[in-house]
Amino acid sequence: MSATSPAVPAPAAVQPVIVTPDLDRLQAFYSGLVGAEEFTRVPEEGPAFFVGLRIGGSELGIVVDQNLKCSPG
């Protein structure tokens, strides 16, 4: 029996995803706040359902759900 531990795999990357009723507004917010840049969009043409943003070496997903209600404020 060996005293060494088996190799532990590196953890998988985690990409947080925010659900919003106003994808364009939230994307503009993160672009202005931290310089987020779009790297993917689904679908590629027309209104997006999902936008992937890159912030430095991290990624953030934004998904639209128009059934959500925004609180005033």
Side-chain angles (χ1 to χ4, degrees):
M1 189 177 256
S2 172
T4 60
S5 302
V8 177
V14 175
Q15 179 190 35
V17 176
I18 298 174
V19 180
T20 180
D22 193 340
L23 189 143
D24 294 331
R25 184 175 176 190
L26 193 56
Q27 181 176 1
F29 171 77
Y30 280 107
S31 294
L33 180 68
V34 293
E37 296 181 356
E38 182 178 312
F39 71 92
T40 190
R41 172 179 285 263
V42 178
E44 291 181 15
E45 301 293 325
F49 166 75
F50 172 85
V51 170
L53 301 177
R54 189 162 286 127
I55 304 166
S58 300
E59 295 179 357
L60 172 66
I62 303 175
V63 175
V64 68
D65 182 346
Q66 295 177 342
N67 293 319
L68 292 176
K69 304 289 185 220
C70 285
S71 302

